[in-house]
Amino acid sequence: MKEKKNKKILRMTNQRKVILEELSKVYFHPTASDVYEMVRKKLPNVSLGTVYRNLELLSSCRTIQKLDFGESHKRFDGNPDPHYHINCTRCGRVDDAPIELKAELDQEAEKASGYQIASHHISYSGICPDCMSDSTGQ
Amino acid sequence: MKEKKNKKILRMTNQRKVILEELSKVYFHPTASDVYEMVRKKLPNVSLGTVYRNLELLSSCRTIQKLDFGESHKRFDGNPDPHYHINCTRCGRVDDAPIELKAELDQEAEKASGYQIASHHISYSGICPDCMSDSTGQ
DNA sequence: GTATTTGCAAATACTTTGCAAAACC
DNA sequence: GGTTTTGCAAAGTATTTGCAAATAC
């Protein structure tokens, strides 16, 4: 298991600033390469390695979130607060789920499992409103 | 988005049989390469590609489950029935969570989101009993 | 001034794929 | 017998890393 030490002081470079700005603008959950493309419009010389390094760093210090929806790549969320996600199995879209956090789940699982629970995440899957109306005749 | 067609008839080859047997034996959730190693003890000439192909095929026809815990690789579960998981952030261990399914979550999310919800999954994170006792002095 | 960060390119990790031979029903 | 599956090896995709030069504070 890897456990990141976080001793270094983070400097606010231009690249890092633009990555954060772009992430905070979007309503969806971009992949590293989406972020690279977004940032490249502002900083044409930015490198993909820098984007990866920053996304990793920022998520390990909880400024952003790294998300995993079972795809081959990770996605990122400029909102560091815990919230649930919902994804469309037809078009791949991922939205924030408009559901309140269920803190009681942690206590329940802690009692039942013997683990010391730190957090939980719920991901919902289904068909989004757009895909539902697209497939009217289907 | 990719949508697997499942028209072919699956044949029960020796490789496929051993993969299923080995998967059903273990209490943990092995990666493809764990499965490869397990199967190799019974069928020394099996190839990694065959293991990947079968794990993919078997999970797409819901004989097994493909799981994702945000690691760089997928894990597999010989139990196809929906259940929740709990993972230790210290040692990486992943257990089945001894929690009943919460079917009501689907209805709640369906109302709130406008999606047609098909399923949900809860993953808990925390520190497992073993790691808790290991770190007595820490 | 010095430690952090960058761009570049090469390396790595995991998974998928093309193909001819073998196995299944 | 015809289709599915296999083993092998090569290719593909996402991510990480080493290093010298540039930058932040």
Side-chain angles (χ1 to χ4, degrees):
Chain A
M1 260 292 85
K2 97 182 131 178
E3 199 89 26
K4 278 279 162 47
K5 320 287 176 195
N6 243 353
K7 314 193 160 183
K8 295 200 291 188
I9 289 151
L10 289 196
R11 291 178 178 173
M12 190 44 69
T13 62
N14 207 22
Q15 289 87 337
R16 190 163 295 161
K17 186 153 65 71
V18 175
I19 288 171
L20 282 170
E21 280 168 11
E22 295 301 306
L23 255 186
S24 71
K25 271 185 206 164
V26 293
Y27 56 91
F28 63 101
H29 305 306
T31 64
S33 108
D34 293 336
V35 175
Y36 175 56
E37 291 306 330
M38 288 160 14
V39 172
R40 213 136 77 107
K41 292 188 181 131
K42 303 287 169 66
L43 302 174
N45 295 318
V46 74
S47 77
L48 184 55
T50 295
V51 171
Y52 270 104
R53 269 183 295 227
N54 275 294
L55 291 173
E56 182 56 41
L57 212 50
L58 291 167
S59 47
S60 71
C61 69
R62 287 147 208 267
T63 303
I64 66 175
Q65 277 188 83
K66 177 153 56 165
L67 306 175
D68 191 315
F69 297 108
E71 299 164 303
S72 57
H73 41 250
K74 301 285 191 289
R75 294 182 172 272
F76 295 87
D77 189 335
N79 173 8
D81 301 324
H83 54 279
Y84 305 140
H85 293 95
I86 180 168
N87 85 290
C88 177
T89 52
R90 197 162 292 173
C91 69
R93 162 179 162 190
V94 177
D95 288 312
D96 290 346
I99 302 282
E100 293 296 302
L101 284 190
K102 301 181 182 298
E104 71 278 11
L105 293 185
D106 286 350
Q107 289 130 45
E108 180 193 19
E110 190 152 313
K111 270 183 214 144
S113 69
Y115 273 62
Q116 184 174 65
I117 303 291
S119 66
H120 70 270
H121 184 257
I122 306 183
S123 32
Y124 299 90
S125 294
I127 300 182
C128 74
D130 291 353
C131 285
M132 298 250 288
S133 43
D134 282 357
S135 58
T136 314
Q138 201 199 325
Chain B
M1 258 297 80
K2 94 179 127 177
E3 198 91 28
K4 279 277 162 52
K5 320 286 175 195
N6 244 353
K7 316 193 162 186
K8 293 201 292 188
I9 289 152
L10 288 197
R11 289 179 180 174
M12 190 46 69
T13 61
N14 207 22
Q15 289 87 336
R16 189 162 294 159
K17 186 155 62 76
V18 174
I19 288 171
L20 281 170
E21 280 168 10
E22 294 302 305
L23 255 185
S24 71
K25 270 186 206 163
V26 292
Y27 57 91
F28 63 101
H29 304 306
T31 64
S33 108
D34 293 337
V35 175
Y36 175 54
E37 291 308 329
M38 287 160 14
V39 172
R40 215 138 74 106
K41 290 186 184 135
K42 303 287 170 63
L43 302 174
N45 295 318
V46 74
S47 78
L48 185 55
T50 294
V51 171
Y52 271 104
R53 268 182 296 227
N54 275 295
L55 291 172
E56 183 56 39
L57 212 51
L58 292 167
S59 47
S60 74
C61 70
R62 287 146 208 266
T63 303
I64 66 176
Q65 275 188 84
K66 176 153 58 165
L67 306 176
D68 192 316
F69 297 108
E71 301 164 302
S72 56
H73 42 249
K74 301 285 190 292
R75 292 181 174 272
F76 295 86
D77 190 334
N79 173 7
D81 300 324
H83 55 280
Y84 305 139
H85 292 95
I86 181 168
N87 86 291
C88 177
T89 52
R90 198 163 290 173
C91 69
R93 163 178 160 189
V94 177
D95 288 313
D96 290 348
I99 302 281
E100 291 297 300
L101 284 190
K102 299 178 183 303
E104 71 277 12
L105 294 184
D106 285 351
Q107 288 130 46
E108 180 193 19
E110 190 152 314
K111 271 183 212 145
S113 69
Y115 272 64
Q116 184 174 64
I117 303 290
S119 66
H120 70 269
H121 184 256
I122 307 183
S123 34
Y124 299 89
S125 294
I127 300 182
C128 73
D130 292 351
C131 285
M132 298 252 286
S133 43
D134 282 356
S135 58
T136 315
Q138 202 202 323

